[in-house]
Amino acid sequence: MRRPALVIASAAAALLLTAGCSADGGAPAPAAPASPGSPVASSAAPSPSAPPAKGSVRVAATLTEGLKSPWGAALLPDGDLLVSSRDEATITRVDTESGKRTSLGTVPGVAPAGEGGLLGLAVSPSYASDHQVYAYFTTESDNRIARLLYDERKPAGRQLGAPDTILRGIPKGTVHNGGRIAFGPDRMLYAGTGETGDRGLAQDRASLAGKILRMTPDGQPVHGNPSADSVVYSYGHRNVQGLAWDGQRRLWAAEFGQDTWDELNLIEPGKNYGWPVAEGRAGKPGYVDPVAQWKTADASPSGIAWARGSIWMAGLRGERLWRIPLAGTEPSAAPQPFLQGRYGRLRTVLAAGGAGLWLVTGETDGRGTPGAGDDRILRLAVT
C-alpha cells in the first residue's frame, strides 16, 4: 500500500563528509569544517560536465505489482526486465511496455534462509548469440554464481536450462551475503560479496567473502586483476550491495555499514576499503575512505545505477532514493533524497536509458511492512 509522502529531510541532515580527489587529478582543495550531521563537499570547482546541484524524480508509472521478495534485476537487449525472487528462487520476465509477467522457471539448488536465496542477476554481454543469464545464489553449503540458458521458445515456467556453476565457494551466512552481479564495460563479470558476519574474512585476501570479485564469463581470473590467479578485485568490504559504472568507466559500489556509516565507494583494483578496521571516513593510512557516507538509518543501501551524471542509490532501512551528483571522482553537490517513506524499502535501481530509471521495492523481504500491491516496479523520470 502506498504510504503517505513524508517530509523529505535535507541532505544536510543526512550526510556527513563527502570528499575525494579533484576531478582534474590535482590535489583536492581543503574542505570546510564538518559539523555533526552535515555534509561536506570538496570546494574545488566542479567540472563543466557536472550535473545540476539539485535534481528531480517523478514516478511516471507503476509497471507491475504483487512481486514476492524481488531482489536482482537485469535488462534484456529488447528492454524487458528479468527479476529474481530471493525466497521463491524464481526468475520472471516483465514486459516493460505492458507489465505482463512471464515465469522463466525455478533455479534448482537455491536454499533461501535469512538474507540468502536467489539474489543478483546479469545478462550475458553476448546474449544475442549465447542466451545466457547469470545468477548469484545461496545453496546449502555456499554462495555461488551460475549461468543458465534462457530459451524463450519453451513454455512458461520451463524456459531455464540447468545451472552451469562458474564460481563456487563464496562463504554464506544468514546475514551479509552480498549478491549483486553485473557485467562491466570490459565485458567481465563483477560480483559484490559480504563477510557473512565473520569480520576477519573481509581482510583475508584468500577468502572470497567481503570482496568485489572480477572474472571472465567462465568464472576465471582476469588479466589485470591484482593477483593473476585470483578473482579478488578489492577487499575490506562489509556487505557490497550495489555496483555501477559511470560515463568514464569508473566502478562505484555501495555497501552496508554496521551501526554508524553506510558507504559509497569508488573502486580501484587491489585497494583495501577498511572493514572492520574502519567504518566510514576514518582517514587511516592504507585504507580507502568512501566518497560519501550516510547514517545507517538514512540509507542501508542496496542497488545503485548511473544516470544523468549522478549515482542513484536505493535505500532499504532509509526507504528513500538518493541522488549523488558527481564531478569526476567526487560529489559536485550534497546528495539529495527522494521518495522518502512513499514505497517502503527500496531494493534495486537500474538505468533505463536517457532520463529513466527502473526502481524495485523490497517490502516483502521479511523486514518490511508489506501492504496491497507490494512489491512493485516503478518507472521513474529523473534529472
Side-chain angles (χ1 to χ4, degrees):
M1 180 178 297
R2 182 174 296 186
R3 294 162 178 77
L6 302 179
V7 176
I8 296 178
S10 69
L15 181 70
L16 173 66
L17 197 59
T18 57
C21 300
S22 65
D24 62 4
S35 59
S38 66
V40 174
S42 168
S43 59
S47 70
S49 60
K54 297 293 184 181
S56 67
V57 170
R58 178 175 60 87
V59 178
T62 297
L63 177 64
T64 191
E65 296 183 331
L67 298 172
K68 302 305 180 186
S69 63
W71 207 102
L75 282 167
L76 290 166
D78 67 359
D80 282 358
L81 285 165
L82 296 181
V83 183
S84 66
S85 169
R86 186 193 69 184
D87 298 339
E88 297 182 344
T90 56
I91 300 177
T92 299
R93 179 174 183 154
V94 183
D95 186 304
T96 49
E97 294 295 328
S98 67
K100 177 185 176 182
R101 302 205 300 251
T102 303
S103 172
L104 276 62
T106 301
V107 178
V110 178
E115 295 177 6
L118 181 57
L119 303 173
L121 297 178
V123 172
S124 167
S126 303
Y127 180 84
S129 58
D130 64 25
H131 299 281
Q132 297 282 354
V133 174
Y134 287 70
Y136 182 119
F137 59 91
T138 310
T139 73
E140 293 289 352
S141 60
D142 64 1
N143 288 308
R144 61 184 60 175
I145 300 171
R147 55 190 173 192
L148 305 95
L149 181 66
Y150 171 28
D151 189 343
E152 303 174 34
R153 299 167 300 178
K154 291 187 175 181
R158 292 188 288 164
Q159 297 177 342
L160 290 176
D164 172 19
T165 299
I166 65 165
L167 184 69
R168 67 181 72 237
I170 303 170
K172 60 172 280 189
T174 56
V175 295
H176 308 175
N177 272 296
R180 194 70 62 181
I181 58 175
F183 279 96
D186 57 359
R187 299 172 69 87
M188 298 296 107
L189 182 64
Y190 292 73
T193 73
E195 37 79 304
T196 73
D198 184 347
R199 297 180 172 193
L201 294 180
Q203 291 293 321
D204 180 358
R205 281 181 275 187
S207 172
L208 298 180
K211 308 295 189 296
I212 292 176
L213 312 177
R214 177 177 180 248
M215 67 201 80
T216 69
D218 296 323
Q220 299 301 307
V222 182
H223 176 73
N225 277 4
S227 296
D229 61 349
S230 173
V231 296
V232 172
Y233 192 65
S234 63
Y235 66 107
H237 299 287
R238 184 170 181 266
N239 190 16
V240 176
Q241 293 280 290
L243 299 170
W245 288 262
D246 65 20
Q248 299 301 312
R249 300 164 63 100
R250 291 177 288 245
L251 174 59
W252 299 83
E255 69 176 279
F256 281 109
Q258 181 171 313
D259 299 317
T260 310
W261 298 117
D262 294 324
E263 300 179 357
L264 177 68
N265 287 296
L266 176 63
I267 303 301
E268 297 181 74
K271 295 296 180 68
N272 185 342
Y273 287 82
W275 180 255
V277 180
E279 180 184 359
R281 192 172 179 84
K284 292 180 178 289
Y287 304 105
V288 179
D289 281 340
V291 172
Q293 62 184 23
W294 292 259
K295 290 292 188 180
T296 54
D298 297 328
S300 295
S302 192
I304 63 173
W306 166 262
R308 308 292 283 183
S310 299
I311 292 288
W312 300 82
M313 186 177 81
L316 291 165
R317 182 181 173 193
E319 296 190 355
R320 67 200 78 175
L321 179 69
W322 284 97
R323 173 186 182 263
I324 305 98
L326 296 173
T329 60
E330 62 183 288
S332 58
Q336 187 179 5
F338 296 96
L339 306 179
Q340 185 174 342
R342 287 179 58 187
Y343 297 98
R345 294 163 63 83
L346 305 181
R347 173 64 68 181
T348 296
V349 59
L350 289 176
L357 294 174
W358 295 110
L359 181 64
V360 183
T361 67
E363 280 290 276
T364 59
D365 65 357
R367 294 184 176 176
T369 52
D374 287 324
D375 270 309
R376 47 178 59 84
I377 301 176
L378 306 173
R379 186 171 73 242
L380 307 180
V382 303
T383 60

